[in-house]
Amino acid sequence: MPAFFEFRDIGHQFGKTPVVEKVNLSLNRGEVFSLVGPSGCGKTTLLRIAAGFIQPTRGAVLLDGEDITALPPDKRKINTVFQNYALFPHLSVFENIAFGLRVAKKSKTDVTRAVGEMLELIDLAEHARKKPAQLSGGQKQRVAIARALVNQPDLLLLDEPLAALDLKLRQRMLLELDRIHEEVGTTFLYVTHDQTEAMSLSDRIGVMHQGKLLQVGTPAEIYESPESSFVAAFIGDTNFVVGKVRRIVDENRFVLEAECLGEIVVWRDKPVAVGDQVTVSIRPEKFSLQKTRPATNGETSNSVPCKIEEVIYLGPQTRYWVRSADQLISVIQQHANYLLDETPLAWGDEAWLTWRANDGFMLNAYREADEALLTLPDD
């Protein structure tokens, strides 16, 4: 059975500069799929290729098994929601939503019914006669989404749709988008540089870097099992521990002679041999900080001394930057209890850093340059 939507060996370049390199990607009918990556990684170019605004240099675009690569945008059952809304300022909310239906020469009855359903869906029926200038940013974005959905496209493309909104409004709009998707069931291809948006909304995520699609998976797979240092650093925060395999403990664990932390036990989720160079990713929330050395099982957990170098209180959690030997490590501790009932760790304190062997994940690919993505405290 063919994929619902497919990029097949897509490549594109501007002049002699490649911006997308041999991307193969299949979308399932009805899912929310997000493309994430830094500015200039090629994700928006892929979106524009899907919409028909750009003809790829090579490869094919397929929708429901049909090659639509050469079709112009108006011949594709694909609509786009843009970052800047692209509403007609002289038209009312009702007329903005109705525009595509009128172009398609739908009857007045059909237009009134379809637009009324969309207004109810986006909860703006009482604002139907207002002009865009009279709406808030979130309301404008909902109108843009309704206008894109009213013609019942097979695929809805969303290009950084929440980038112009403030944080609280973005969070609220994510819930709205999720609700709208649940009600209409249209396949969403969502492009964003914001990892939180992608993790919150998506069934699956594709991570792009320098024109290449590095990894595709569910939010949990991408976060818990990154395949490269770029993915590990871009999706959430992480710590990279580099070293050589000293000995194999059993089929599940091995001892790593880390360059800065000494001997630590690591989960053996990939084949390794003694002497191999290995990089392990450990998320900040996997660590625990304690004032006294805890009792640990050396075969299943680790404990190393450290010194607190930075403390950032964030309300529900505190971020620590600690130094163990020569390695600076990011640690996040959630506040499960009332914080004022205890004396928290402070700058300059000596402490113990503990984590389980299976809290780290071995990477297939590592580049030192990707460590620049990690958020370090200001000097």
Side-chain angles (χ1 to χ4, degrees):
M1 184 175 178
F4 170 67
F5 177 82
E6 186 177 1
F7 288 123
R8 186 176 293 174
D9 290 331
I10 289 291
H12 190 68
Q13 59 190 58
F14 294 124
K16 295 183 178 180
T17 305
V19 291
V20 174
E21 298 186 44
K22 201 173 184 181
V23 169
N24 288 282
L25 175 65
S26 298
L27 272 59
N28 302 316
R29 185 184 295 275
E31 77 172 327
V32 178
F33 189 98
S34 289
L35 283 172
V36 300
S39 297
C41 71
K43 58 187 187 296
T44 296
T45 299
L46 268 182
L47 199 79
R48 292 176 68 81
I49 288 171
F53 301 140
I54 295 176
Q55 281 292 304
T57 306
R58 65 190 66 84
V61 181
L62 290 88
L63 181 63
D64 226 0
E66 177 187 354
D67 189 335
I68 62 170
T69 313
L71 285 182
D74 62 318
K75 300 298 183 183
R76 304 183 184 203
K77 291 201 71 176
I78 297 174
N79 283 347
T80 305
V81 177
F82 300 98
Q83 178 180 331
N84 62 356
Y85 319 131
L87 300 177
F88 300 112
H90 62 291
L91 297 182
S92 67
V93 167
F94 184 98
E95 292 300 328
N96 263 283
I97 298 173
F99 182 82
L101 297 171
R102 297 200 192 285
V103 170
K105 301 188 184 306
K106 299 291 184 181
S107 70
K108 183 177 180 180
T109 300
D110 287 344
V111 170
T112 301
R113 177 191 53 77
V115 174
E117 290 174 355
M118 282 294 117
L119 286 168
E120 290 295 330
L121 178 68
I122 63 173
D123 197 24
L124 287 178
E126 62 198 50
H127 301 282
R129 300 304 166 190
K130 289 184 178 179
K131 300 290 178 63
Q134 298 172 281
L135 304 178
S136 69
Q139 290 171 331
K140 291 177 185 176
Q141 193 57 278
R142 279 185 277 165
V143 174
I145 291 167
R147 186 180 63 181
L149 286 172
V150 75
N151 278 332
Q152 299 180 325
D154 289 336
L155 176 64
L156 184 66
L157 310 176
L158 299 105
D159 186 11
E160 302 272 10
L162 309 183
L165 307 179
D166 63 44
L167 177 60
K168 287 191 175 181
L169 191 51
R170 284 204 308 273
Q171 292 170 339
R172 191 158 69 245
M173 278 302 300
L174 279 172
L175 295 176
E176 286 292 308
L177 274 173
D178 192 43
R179 177 185 64 82
I180 290 168
H181 177 262
E182 287 294 321
E183 293 198 28
V184 300
T186 304
T187 307
F188 283 11
L189 178 55
Y190 191 97
V191 161
T192 180
H193 67 277
D194 189 315
Q195 51 179 288
T196 304
E197 286 182 19
M199 297 281 283
S200 301
L201 188 65
S202 309
D203 297 305
R204 291 189 301 149
I205 294 172
V207 184
M208 292 194 68
H209 185 44
Q210 296 179 340
K212 297 177 181 178
L213 188 61
L214 299 185
Q215 186 174 350
V216 172
T218 66
E221 289 169 346
I222 294 289
Y223 186 81
E224 297 287 354
S225 304
E227 294 178 357
S228 67
S229 55
F230 178 85
V231 174
F234 189 81
I235 303 295
D237 296 331
T238 196
N239 300 277
F240 296 124
V241 177
V242 182
K244 286 188 177 181
V245 178
R246 172 59 63 88
R247 66 179 183 276
I248 306 298
V249 176
D250 55 32
E251 64 180 7
N252 295 321
R253 291 158 295 172
F254 66 91
V255 173
L256 183 72
E257 181 67 35
E259 294 177 358
C260 298
L261 300 180
E263 287 193 357
I264 60 173
V265 183
V266 177
W267 195 251
R268 193 182 175 190
D269 57 275
K270 295 180 179 66
V272 293
V274 173
D276 285 354
Q277 182 86 3
V278 169
T279 298
V280 178
S281 167
I282 310 174
R283 299 291 187 183
E285 69 275 9
K286 304 296 185 183
F287 291 109
S288 175
L289 278 172
Q290 301 182 43
K291 294 181 180 179
T292 57
R293 184 170 190 172
T296 58
N297 184 335
E299 292 187 348
T300 60
S301 57
N302 300 283
S303 183
V304 297
C306 65
K307 185 174 182 178
I308 310 297
E309 291 206 353
E310 186 76 30
V311 181
I312 304 173
Y313 176 73
L314 298 170
Q317 63 189 27
T318 295
R319 177 187 286 276
Y320 295 91
W321 290 92
V322 306
R323 190 171 297 278
S324 182
D326 290 328
Q327 179 145 2
L328 191 64
I329 295 174
S330 172
V331 180
I332 291 177
Q333 294 212 301
Q334 300 293 330
H335 299 155
N337 302 313
Y338 183 56
L339 193 61
L340 298 183
D341 286 341
E342 58 186 62
T343 303
L345 289 163
W347 179 87
D349 283 353
E350 303 286 342
W352 287 87
L353 185 69
T354 63
W355 70 100
R356 295 174 301 178
N358 60 355
D359 283 334
F361 189 85
M362 293 169 58
L363 301 177
N364 290 334
Y366 170 74
R367 298 187 316 153
E368 289 185 3
D370 293 335
E371 293 201 43
L373 292 169
L374 302 180
T375 304
L376 299 176
D378 294 331
D379 291 334

